[in-house]
Amino acid sequence: MRPVQMVDLKQQYLAMQAEIDEAIRRVLDSSVFIGGQSVEEFSQHLAAWTGSRYVIPCANGTDALQIALMALGLEPGDEVITPSFTYIATTEVVALLRLKPIFVDVDPRTFCMDANALERAITPKTRAIVPVHLYGQPAAMDEIMTLADRHGLYVVEDNAQAIGARYRFYDGTERQTGTMGTIGTTSFFPSKNLGCYGDGGAIFTQDASLADRMRMIANHGQRIRYYHDLVGCNSRLDAIQAAILDVKLRRLEGYIVSRRQAAAAYDEAFKTEDRILTPWVDPRGTHVYHQYTLQLEGVDRDELQRYLADRSIPTMIYYPVPAHRQRMFTQLGAGGEDLPVTDWLTGRVLSLPIHTEMDAELTERIATAVLDFIHKN
Ligand SMILES: *Cc1c(COP(=O)(O)O)cnc(C)c1O
């Protein structure tokens, strides 16, 4: 029997081994390990694939967020509104830059920023909104962009989990996540939907001067070598990672289809079980299922997790502690907001294995084990 993993990067690699090995060999041959043709080509291909005018590659998804916020010229103490129900990187960079994170609740159906909560959180000190397209589904960008326009706020989309997802606005225009706000960011961490074999990230914008500024910030604030106009950092996507990503980008559409097939199989298996709420998809968007996350009702989650682990089925809780309850923030006097939906979801979400190498046997084996536990309890 095939072992079950949250993500099966080995099988995925074996399915394209010759191409990946050849791409890496070409970089070794050229001995251009930083910058160069492979980074340039991948950036162009990614821009074309996402429909983004500018793509700035960088070292990881956390740097991408940091560089994006650095480029906006915010002042210490300026308020940045983010969900608390997200990976720590989204909120950490806000604090790192001495900006003030304002945590808002999420919509329990989409796990993404609640637009009503966002509206209530806007103050005269608010400068930016950082929505997260969590688990692979677009946030409510219609409402978010409308509020941002009305109040003159920047929008930085954290698209680390949703590359390739689409969203249709009320006026009929359709865009990919990461290309709708002022800036979008993504991560190529190996387990992400477009992952490399190390660390990597990218930044998206449609604005030429912001693109120029972010390119400089990612490169020690220089446009001309050794002439540093801005305080920046050192954040590069290396050539081997770019070459790998270029091979995988050609497969990304197929990867998304595989993930959707696995999600559809789970949806079908759980549809008559009242104690399991399967992911809801906002009809305005498409879901790329970075995670397949259940909400459990009246089920002992820890017991279920143990039961599955005993049967060699891994599961994860994304995330066990929301940002507003992290000591990182509470010791700064931030956090401590009352976010009932976030707290409630934290106690009842469970993510099942989902990846590009799933097949019907695997999803059935996992779903059957989940249902067996529920029917016994
Ligand atoms: C993975 C992730 C990041 C950070 O990306 P890294 O490449 O690990 O730095 C940021 N935000 C979200 C939502 C993520 O899932």
Side-chain angles (χ1 to χ4, degrees):
M1 231 170 26
R2 269 178 73 188
V4 188
Q5 292 172 278
M6 288 302 286
V7 181
D8 193 342
L9 294 176
K10 182 66 185 281
Q11 284 302 121
Q12 192 192 59
Y13 164 61
L14 291 176
M16 56 182 168
Q17 185 172 18
E19 235 180 299
I20 292 276
D21 291 2
E22 171 59 19
I24 293 173
R25 203 194 51 74
R26 273 202 304 271
V27 177
L28 297 178
D29 240 14
S30 76
S31 295
V32 177
F33 297 116
I34 295 292
Q37 196 183 341
S38 81
V39 177
E40 193 48 48
E41 280 177 7
F42 168 65
S43 302
Q44 281 171 16
H45 295 158
L46 186 61
W49 196 88
T50 54
S52 184
R53 194 165 298 151
Y54 304 100
V55 169
I56 297 110
C58 66
N60 57 66
T62 308
D63 276 9
L65 286 159
Q66 182 187 321
I67 294 162
L69 289 175
M70 285 170 79
L72 295 175
L74 308 183
E75 303 282 339
D78 281 350
E79 293 179 0
V80 176
I81 302 177
T82 87
S84 170
F85 197 68
T86 178
Y87 181 56
I88 196 66
T90 317
T91 55
E92 184 184 31
V93 295
V94 176
L96 183 75
L97 296 172
R98 302 264 178 261
L99 304 168
K100 187 169 180 208
I102 303 293
F103 301 113
V104 295
D105 226 336
V106 289
D107 181 330
R109 297 170 306 170
T110 62
F111 306 101
C112 295
M113 182 180 271
D114 178 332
N116 293 315
L118 166 63
E119 184 164 18
R120 286 193 299 274
I122 294 171
T123 74
K125 297 195 76 176
T126 308
R127 299 292 306 280
I129 308 166
V130 184
V132 182
H133 305 304
L134 200 73
Y135 302 153
Q137 163 151 249
M141 291 307 287
D142 242 339
E143 291 87 339
I144 292 169
M145 293 308 291
T146 301
L147 285 167
D149 286 346
R150 189 184 305 154
H151 296 273
L153 308 174
Y154 299 118
V155 175
V156 177
E157 301 172 69
D158 182 345
N159 194 33
Q161 300 190 0
I163 194 156
R166 304 189 70 86
Y167 188 83
R168 192 198 306 272
F169 286 87
Y170 69 94
D171 66 0
T173 55
E174 207 180 298
R175 301 287 285 274
Q176 274 202 31
T177 51
T179 69
M180 300 178 268
T182 320
I183 302 172
T185 66
T186 200
S187 163
F188 304 126
F189 185 78
S191 63
K192 297 283 155 79
N193 285 22
L194 178 62
C196 57
Y197 294 170
D199 273 310
I203 312 167
F204 304 87
T205 187
Q206 317 311 310
D207 181 312
S209 70
L210 267 179
D212 182 49
R213 208 174 148 78
M214 292 193 289
R215 236 180 259 287
M216 287 173 71
I217 290 171
N219 185 24
H220 297 294
Q222 63 191 334
R223 190 179 291 120
I224 302 164
R225 207 178 205 177
Y226 304 127
Y227 292 81
H228 306 274
D229 300 337
L230 299 168
V231 174
C233 57
N234 171 24
S235 189
R236 306 185 272 238
L237 178 70
D238 72 68
I240 289 181
Q241 300 310 333
I244 292 163
L245 286 164
D246 215 24
V247 173
K248 292 186 69 174
L249 181 61
R250 293 197 281 275
R251 289 170 166 75
L252 185 51
E253 203 62 65
Y255 288 161
I256 293 171
V257 170
S258 303
R259 286 174 178 275
R260 285 193 184 130
Q261 278 166 355
Y266 282 142
D267 282 348
E268 181 63 26
F270 298 131
K271 72 175 182 203
T272 56
E273 181 46 69
D274 293 344
R275 284 165 289 179
I276 296 177
L277 203 63
T278 55
W280 179 76
V281 184
D282 184 336
R284 299 177 294 184
T286 63
H287 204 315
V288 295
Y289 295 101
H290 175 59
Q291 300 298 340
Y292 185 88
T293 303
L294 302 173
Q295 295 185 48
L296 303 169
E297 222 154 80
V299 176
D300 186 328
R301 183 178 61 179
D302 294 347
E303 279 292 317
L304 170 58
Q305 213 175 12
R306 255 194 303 279
Y307 179 89
L308 294 172
D310 287 345
R311 282 151 190 80
S312 303
I313 298 171
T315 53
M316 291 292 282
I317 295 164
Y318 297 117
Y319 295 91
V321 183
H324 75 293
R325 295 196 178 280
Q326 296 285 355
R327 204 169 301 151
M328 177 195 282
F329 294 112
T330 53
Q331 70 169 10
L332 292 174
E337 283 90 344
D338 186 24
L339 305 178
V341 177
T342 295
D343 287 335
W344 182 68
L345 287 175
T346 300
R348 62 186 232 141
V349 289
L350 188 70
S351 297
L352 299 182
I354 192 161
H355 54 73
T356 58
E357 313 304 306
M358 303 279 279
D359 57 19
E361 185 272 324
L362 216 51
T363 44
E364 192 184 319
R365 199 191 324 156
I366 296 164
T368 302
V370 172
L371 291 168
D372 282 352
F373 174 85
I374 291 194
H375 295 149
K376 274 190 220 145
N377 286 273

